[in-house]
């Protein structure tokens, strides 16, 4: 309670709260959650809370991936969502450090998947099918990956 007492004794409580909320509002009122994450990371960077090396971020992504796997194995929905959030936040940190746009990267990934999806549909159509079992789909997917 030391900090609270100090803030109260100096009459700074309202000012402190107002400044804190104004800073958070700045980040949380953005339209894109990607932009919110990047802005939060940049604010943290201003006080020295940031990765210095890409290798550290990659290690953290590996660590967070293992934590996601553990949460899934434990069948804990809330914990899984929390760990997925940590993983996504760390991936966004990597994207920021590489000076890429997360929206652009996801858009490119969507376009790539859409193209492959359409190729799968074409192959299924050629075979007179609307659905493939797991083994057939894996074969189709591997063939398409080699082409595109």
């Amino acid at each position: 309670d030391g900090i609270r007492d100090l803030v109260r004794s100096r009459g700074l409580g309202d000012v402190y709260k107002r400044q804190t909320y104004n800073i958070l509002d700045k980040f949380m009122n953005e339209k894109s959650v990607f932009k919110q994450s990047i802005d939060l990371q940049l604010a943290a960077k201003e006080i020295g809370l940031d990765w210095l090396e890409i290798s550290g971020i990659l290690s953290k992504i590996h660590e967070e991936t293992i934590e996601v796997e553990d949460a899934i194995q434990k069948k804990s929905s809330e914990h899984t969502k929390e760990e997925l959030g940590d993983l996504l936040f760390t991936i966004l940190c990597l994207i920021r450090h590489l000076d890429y746009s997360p929206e652009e990267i996801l858009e490119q990934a969507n376009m790539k998947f859409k193209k492959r999806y359409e190729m799968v549909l074409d192959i299924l159509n050629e075979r007179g099918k609307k659905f493939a079992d797991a083994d057939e789909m894996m074969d189709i997917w591997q063939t398409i990956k080699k082409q595109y």
Side-chain angles (χ1 to χ4, degrees), residues 2-131:
I3 209 88
R4 284 188 203 150
D5 292 338
L6 176 64
V7 168
R8 272 189 232 128
S9 71
R10 301 217 176 157
L12 300 175
D14 291 337
V15 172
Y16 175 77
K17 286 180 188 174
R18 194 168 47 250
Q19 287 174 344
T20 302
Y21 291 127
N22 286 341
I23 291 168
L24 293 177
D25 286 346
K26 173 184 169 189
F27 302 124
M28 301 317 240
N29 287 333
E30 298 289 334
K31 291 181 183 177
S32 164
V33 291
F34 292 140
K35 180 79 170 115
Q36 288 177 22
S37 293
I38 299 296
D39 285 349
L40 285 167
Q41 291 175 18
L42 290 173
K45 180 180 179 179
E46 289 180 14
I47 63 166
L49 180 57
D50 196 15
W51 296 99
L52 299 176
E53 302 287 333
I54 297 289
S55 62
I57 302 169
L58 292 171
S59 293
K60 186 65 172 174
I61 288 171
H62 179 71
E63 175 188 322
E64 294 297 345
T65 301
I66 291 169
E67 291 176 8
V68 168
E69 291 172 351
D70 290 345
I72 290 170
Q73 287 176 357
K74 292 177 182 170
K75 300 182 191 290
S76 172
S77 178
E78 286 303 311
H79 189 223
T80 300
K81 288 191 289 186
E82 178 184 337
E83 295 302 339
L84 283 169
D86 292 348
L87 176 59
L88 183 55
F89 191 85
T90 307
I91 290 170
L92 287 171
C93 184
L94 176 63
I95 291 169
R96 175 179 59 83
H97 273 265
L98 295 173
D99 200 27
Y100 298 141
S101 161
E103 287 86 358
E104 183 180 321
I105 287 176
L106 190 53
E107 183 178 14
Q108 288 174 354
N110 287 343
M111 289 172 37
K112 180 178 175 181
F113 182 83
K114 181 179 183 280
K115 178 74 173 164
R116 288 179 175 177
Y117 169 75
E118 290 169 349
M119 293 171 79
V120 168
L121 290 178
D122 289 344
I123 290 171
L124 288 175
N125 223 8
E126 290 170 5
R127 295 179 182 181
K129 295 182 168 189
K130 293 186 179 198
F131 185 84

